[in-house]
Amino acid sequence: MPSMKLATMTSAFALSIFSLMATQASADATLDRIKGRGALTVGVILSGAPFGYIDPKTQEQKGFNIDIAKALAEDLGVKLETVTVTPPNRVQFLQQGKVDLLIANMQYTEDRAKVLDYVPTAYDRAGGAAVVRKDSGLKDWADLKGKPVCVSQGSNYTQPLIEEYGAVVKALPSQPESLLALQGGNCVAAVHVGATVGLLLEDRPEDWKDYAIPFPTELIPSDSVIWLRKGEKDTQTALDNSVKKLHASGKLLEFAKSNRLLNTKFLEEQQKALSASK
Amino acid sequence: MQDMNLSDLFVSLTSRIGLNYEFLATGYESQIWRDGFVTTLYLVALLIPVSLIFGLLFAACLTSGKLWLSSPVRGFVELTRNTPTLVQLMFSFLVLNTFVSNLVGGAQNNPLTPFFWVVAVVGLHIAALHAEAIRAGIEAVPASTIEAARGIGFSQFQILRYVEVPLAFRASLPAIVNNLINLVKLTTVGNAIAVSEITYASIMVWTQRDNVVSLMIAILLFFSIINLIVARIGLWVERKLAVPGYGI
Amino acid sequence: MNTVALAPPRKRRHLLRNSGFLALPLIILVWSVADPSLGRELLDWVPYLASGFMMNIVIALLAMTLGTLVGTLFGILELAPYRLVRYPVVAYVQVFRNAPHLVLIFATTYIFPFEIVVAGHYLPFPDWVKAVIGLAIPASAYVAEITRGAIQSIPTTQWEAAKGLGFSQGQALRWIILPQCLRRSLPPWMNLFASITMGTALASLVGVHELLHAATDASTAVRRLDFTIVAYLVVMAAFFMLCYPISRLTRRLEGRFNAA
């Protein structure tokens, strides 16, 4: 079939042009660009309160992540631009340079640290919580073996759920779809960042009266960090200082409280540690 | 063992031209990706007969002349043709599925999987397009041919069985093949509801790595090949069934 | 079958069709009135959803404009007498007509850079523009096929007649063949337009702020199950109200051209 060969050749050709254009995009050091443009572009995720959501009245973005982004931009003396990202596209957006950094519910994992750099001082600590039906009889993570579990596409809980607990992971485009799939009975549990689902169950007791978060531990609790492209040391240092300042001044704790984060123990400890060291 | 060596060879060869298929050497990612190809093929193999059967059924309803049969089908056809399949799929999976769960007394009794909803939504969508093609084919059968059949003593059923359906099927075949190619392409919407077809599998890989280009080349080639095969088979059937003296 | 017998059901069918057209908005309206708290919530979100739907329309219009321009050119080139021109174009059309729209949107979003450098200036290259390109590629492949089919459907004798009247090949194409092609290709072009319009919903999966994405944002913020259902109904109703008239018009045109 000559047309097939032709098809092969052209698609390879077309894609090689794409990739050539893509490599052209890597710009100069991020910090210079931020200062040069006078704006910090942050990728934020709108997975719901308390981290990020749209306010219907003003149609503005609100939440813990947004507050941190605002404070960082203020500290750098530039204005803030936010870009909404989703779990499946956030790493691509950062790699492409569409955003300067990600404050997008991404915890530290070794695999991520291989492809991206991060700000060493964490702004929060979070782990995965599983929402399950009260009558399901599931007691702990090990009970998920062989059962369908919903997550978001690109979630860092996918690998431990599959490899450690042998769950059958179903990844949906974002958190609301995953939770709806749980209510529809397409999975026995939905695993997401603990604070979001915890607050959801608390705020919407009517919709969620048959559901609970029964597992005693969180899945891979780890530091929520700001992610950067590989090798951007200046930006990393500048942001690390900013985050430390936010901890020390108690601002992060304040953001957490005003956005109703359920567990602020980590932030309290950090504030004590960092304000003492000053 | 041989399989391992082959994939290693492939990874090192492709990395030389700047493509990254390293994940093939790892555990669950390469498994998901390989299964993705199989799932897509399985979806296509299942959806083609499903869409054809329901297409015929819908066409029968549309041309029955009975309003109670034709109007619901007509309503469905218009709805599915004029709204995005992705939205239909999300709606079915997230809303209809919840209703079904409530009906059968709880989510744990609901046997419907994401896979079922993809087959139902895409299958019925393409079936609606088939039905339109077949209906146009039936209406294109010349009135004089039917008169002639009636003249030599065919019953209404015999006319349908021996005259209208065979001629209509031939007339609508190009449109049906076209719909089937759309069907193959539409299976990709399954990724939105976690059906592990090839685009879903690729998303799982490229969100953890940075190799979109490599995966895209594989996907585009894969779909080009499937659709070439579908088009070839369609052409072959068309030639087999060609009525002598019609067309070229 | 005579026309007299057909007349009453046709009238009834007309009524059914028009009531069907309004069925979705009616459901939404009745539900909102029956549950005022839901209705108020929905009303708050209408501007946000509307801005999303504008994006769908903009993407569809631009993708079709770009796709039509490129596709018409490619359709003509597909018939070029030179193999060196014809083969690459035929291959382009084959590959991109067979490629899923979703995959092309993924490809353009993730592979194209977010900004391009033109003469030292950084021009932003936003996502929705990438979605336009992602949909314009298959649109151009389809338009190329439509154009080629239309040109081939014009009897060769017309070319010869034009030549006899002293037209050059280009002039014949411009003044005699293309005007006729336009008429023949209008119905399939409009079908494509509707299909591309519906394809814009796929851009939600790469994070473009269009209607489906806006609806997801809204249901995330509201966190009410019934609101989520209504949000999806609104999305369906919006697309239906846009695409159904197009497809009705297409069928009427098809009927008229077939009769002619």
Side-chain angles (χ1 to χ4, degrees):
Chain A
M1 284 192 241
S3 53
M4 199 145 103
K5 215 191 254 163
L6 261 175
T8 318
M9 272 162 47
T10 26
S11 54
F13 173 69
L15 283 158
S16 59
I17 292 180
F18 285 165
S19 55
L20 267 179
M21 292 181 66
T23 44
Q24 254 183 1
S26 49
D28 41 289
T30 305
L31 196 59
D32 292 345
R33 270 190 32 153
I34 295 171
K35 302 258 161 156
R37 288 192 314 170
L40 173 71
T41 314
V42 180
V44 294
I45 198 161
L46 299 180
S47 60
F51 294 112
Y53 58 95
I54 300 262
D55 182 43
K57 293 282 177 313
T58 56
Q59 298 189 8
E60 270 172 23
Q61 296 163 338
K62 283 197 168 164
F64 186 56
N65 292 350
I66 320 286
D67 287 345
I68 296 173
K70 276 185 192 147
L72 288 179
E74 206 174 292
D75 201 48
L76 293 173
V78 290
K79 68 180 200 302
L80 174 71
E81 283 168 7
T82 55
V83 173
T84 315
V85 298
T86 59
N89 68 21
R90 55 194 175 188
V91 175
Q92 265 64 39
F93 279 7
L94 182 61
Q95 295 281 27
Q96 285 183 340
K98 187 180 161 72
V99 298
D100 297 323
L101 48 99
L102 287 173
I103 307 180
N105 289 4
M106 284 170 80
Q107 283 75 44
Y108 173 84
T109 67
E110 265 175 38
D111 277 345
R112 275 183 188 150
K114 273 183 214 153
V115 281
L116 302 173
D117 260 342
Y118 60 97
V119 176
T121 310
Y123 63 83
D124 192 14
R125 174 168 290 163
V131 185
V132 303
R133 278 189 76 87
K134 281 178 182 159
D135 55 10
S136 66
L138 299 168
K139 292 272 177 316
D140 209 341
W141 295 101
D143 296 342
L144 294 176
K145 194 175 170 59
K147 300 226 165 70
V149 175
C150 285
V151 299
S152 311
Q153 287 174 6
S155 157
N156 46 328
Y157 306 128
T158 311
Q159 195 173 358
L161 280 171
I162 293 176
E163 291 188 339
E164 265 179 63
Y165 300 108
V168 181
V169 167
K170 300 203 177 289
L172 288 127
S174 61
Q175 189 168 314
E177 282 99 2
S178 159
L179 290 168
L180 279 167
L182 170 71
Q183 285 182 316
N186 278 292
C187 34
V188 298
V191 178
H192 295 282
V193 175
T196 332
V197 284
L199 194 63
L200 173 67
L201 261 60
E202 205 169 85
D203 284 357
R204 295 278 162 198
E206 262 310 295
D207 281 351
W208 292 94
K209 60 179 185 300
D210 298 330
Y211 296 84
I213 303 177
F215 299 176
T217 55
E218 289 207 320
L219 187 65
I220 51 163
S222 36
D223 290 351
S224 302
V225 291
I226 299 169
W227 291 93
L228 302 162
R229 277 181 295 279
K230 209 65 180 161
E232 313 216 299
K233 297 291 168 209
D234 294 345
T235 326
Q236 195 179 17
T237 323
L239 288 171
D240 198 47
N241 283 332
S242 303
V243 176
K244 277 189 179 138
K245 263 193 263 172
L246 288 176
H247 271 302
S249 67
K251 266 212 166 147
L252 272 181
L253 196 58
E254 206 178 286
F255 293 156
K257 287 199 170 133
S258 67
N259 284 299
R260 298 190 299 140
L261 253 69
L262 297 180
N263 184 353
T264 53
K265 217 171 104 207
F266 172 77
L267 289 171
E268 279 158 25
E269 283 166 13
Q270 287 282 314
Q271 194 210 345
K272 265 183 212 143
L274 284 165
S275 53
S277 71
K278 275 231 167 134
Chain B
M1 215 50 217
Q2 178 128 37
D3 187 46
M4 278 301 292
N5 291 335
L6 265 180
S7 73
D8 284 352
L9 187 69
F10 179 72
V11 170
S12 71
L13 276 180
T14 47
S15 77
R16 248 181 249 171
I17 53 167
L19 297 177
N20 174 0
Y21 292 101
E22 272 165 33
F23 70 96
L24 286 173
T26 65
Y28 81 102
E29 286 177 333
S30 86
Q31 185 64 38
I32 286 178
W33 206 59
R34 279 166 222 226
D35 288 350
F37 285 106
V38 178
T39 309
T40 297
L41 287 176
Y42 181 48
L43 264 175
V44 169
L46 193 65
L47 273 166
I48 289 177
V50 166
S51 73
L52 286 172
I53 291 167
F54 279 93
L56 271 176
L57 212 66
F58 286 170
C61 292
L62 283 178
T63 54
S64 67
K66 295 186 183 77
L67 207 59
W68 62 272
L69 259 180
S70 66
S71 58
V73 174
R74 167 66 37 208
F76 175 76
V77 169
E78 294 303 342
L79 185 70
T80 187
R81 273 170 50 123
N82 293 305
T83 52
T85 314
L86 177 64
V87 182
Q88 292 168 31
L89 187 68
M90 297 295 244
F91 184 78
S92 311
F93 174 67
L94 299 175
V95 178
L96 293 186
N97 191 51
T98 313
F99 281 136
V100 173
S101 291
N102 291 344
L103 272 183
V104 296
Q108 66 280 8
N109 299 326
N110 187 345
L112 305 178
T113 59
F115 190 85
F116 165 85
W117 287 110
V118 171
V119 172
V121 169
V122 174
L124 291 183
H125 175 73
I126 299 293
L129 302 185
H130 286 335
E132 285 287 276
I134 297 169
R135 187 190 54 85
I138 289 177
E139 280 170 9
V141 174
S144 53
T145 312
I146 297 169
E147 299 274 299
R150 198 169 287 138
I152 54 173
F154 273 31
S155 72
Q156 193 62 44
F157 176 76
Q158 281 174 318
I159 291 175
L160 194 73
R161 166 75 185 76
Y162 294 105
V163 181
E164 283 186 310
V165 168
L167 284 178
F169 184 67
R170 285 172 173 85
S172 49
L173 202 58
I176 288 179
V177 172
N178 206 5
N179 294 340
L180 291 180
I181 288 175
N182 276 329
L183 177 150
V184 173
K185 297 195 278 181
L186 267 182
T187 57
T188 53
V189 297
N191 87 74
I193 62 165
V195 169
S196 57
E197 47 76 54
I198 186 62
T199 42
Y200 173 85
S202 302
I203 291 171
M204 297 294 269
V205 176
W206 84 50
T207 47
Q208 303 300 326
R209 290 156 190 279
D210 193 25
N211 56 349
V212 182
V213 179
S214 312
L215 296 173
M216 280 298 163
I217 291 176
I219 301 179
L220 282 182
L221 280 182
F222 183 56
F223 279 102
S224 291
I225 292 168
I226 304 184
N227 274 333
L228 258 162
I229 294 169
V230 172
R232 290 274 147 152
I233 294 174
L235 213 62
W236 179 78
V237 175
E238 229 170 285
R239 286 215 188 105
K240 275 260 152 181
L241 293 179
V243 179
Y246 268 89
I248 22 164
Chain C
M1 276 189 254
N2 53 35
T3 42
V4 181
L6 262 178
R10 184 167 282 173
K11 205 174 210 171
R12 223 181 323 162
R13 218 180 285 161
H14 217 76
L15 194 76
L16 266 173
R17 243 180 220 170
N18 291 337
S19 62
F21 181 57
L22 292 173
L24 277 172
L26 269 179
I27 294 174
I28 298 165
L29 195 70
V30 168
W31 199 347
S32 306
V33 171
D35 182 352
S37 75
L38 183 74
R40 219 170 300 127
E41 203 82 82
L42 189 62
L43 209 60
D44 280 343
W45 284 97
V46 163
Y48 191 73
L49 295 173
S51 74
F53 197 46
M54 274 311 292
M55 184 54 95
N56 290 87
I57 295 173
V58 168
I59 293 176
L61 287 177
L62 289 179
M64 273 314 277
T65 311
L66 194 62
T68 307
L69 290 176
V70 175
T72 313
L73 180 69
F74 278 16
I76 296 169
L77 290 181
E78 267 193 288
L79 298 167
Y82 316 104
R83 239 181 261 174
L84 213 61
V85 177
R86 199 170 61 222
Y87 277 12
V89 175
V90 169
Y92 171 93
V93 171
Q94 280 306 319
V95 170
F96 291 118
R97 218 165 52 110
N98 286 337
H101 295 183
L102 179 59
V103 173
L104 293 175
I105 289 179
F106 274 135
T108 51
T109 314
Y110 293 144
I111 298 171
F112 283 145
F114 74 105
E115 60 185 12
I116 28 179
V117 188
V118 179
H121 291 283
Y122 287 94
L123 291 180
F125 195 179
D127 276 345
W128 64 270
V129 177
K130 295 181 191 174
V132 166
I133 297 172
L135 286 169
I137 291 172
S140 66
Y142 272 102
V143 171
E145 282 299 276
I146 294 171
T147 312
R148 185 185 58 89
I151 295 177
Q152 280 179 330
S153 74
I154 309 288
T156 345
T157 47
Q158 293 206 11
W159 288 93
E160 284 155 10
K163 206 172 166 192
L165 289 169
F167 282 83
S168 75
Q169 184 137 358
Q171 282 173 326
L173 187 72
R174 165 70 187 79
W175 297 108
I176 296 172
I177 309 299
L178 279 185
Q180 296 184 67
C181 295
L182 205 64
R183 216 174 87 141
R184 276 169 216 234
S185 46
L186 192 61
W189 184 87
M190 284 172 60
N191 271 330
L192 180 67
F193 181 61
S195 142
I196 292 292
T197 305
M198 290 186 276
T200 57
L202 297 172
S204 67
L205 293 180
V206 291
V208 174
H209 170 74
E210 52 71 72
L211 182 58
L212 184 57
H213 200 265
T216 313
D217 277 349
S219 25
T220 311
V222 176
R223 301 186 295 179
R224 272 176 66 165
L225 195 59
D226 52 356
F227 182 84
T228 308
I229 299 171
V230 172
Y232 278 110
L233 285 179
V234 169
V235 176
M236 292 237 257
F239 276 102
F240 190 78
M241 308 274 283
L242 182 65
C243 295
Y244 183 67
I246 299 177
S247 82
R248 280 284 294 278
L249 187 65
T250 311
R251 254 171 290 173
R252 196 175 296 170
L253 283 177
E254 261 169 348
R256 193 179 296 169
F257 290 163
N258 285 345

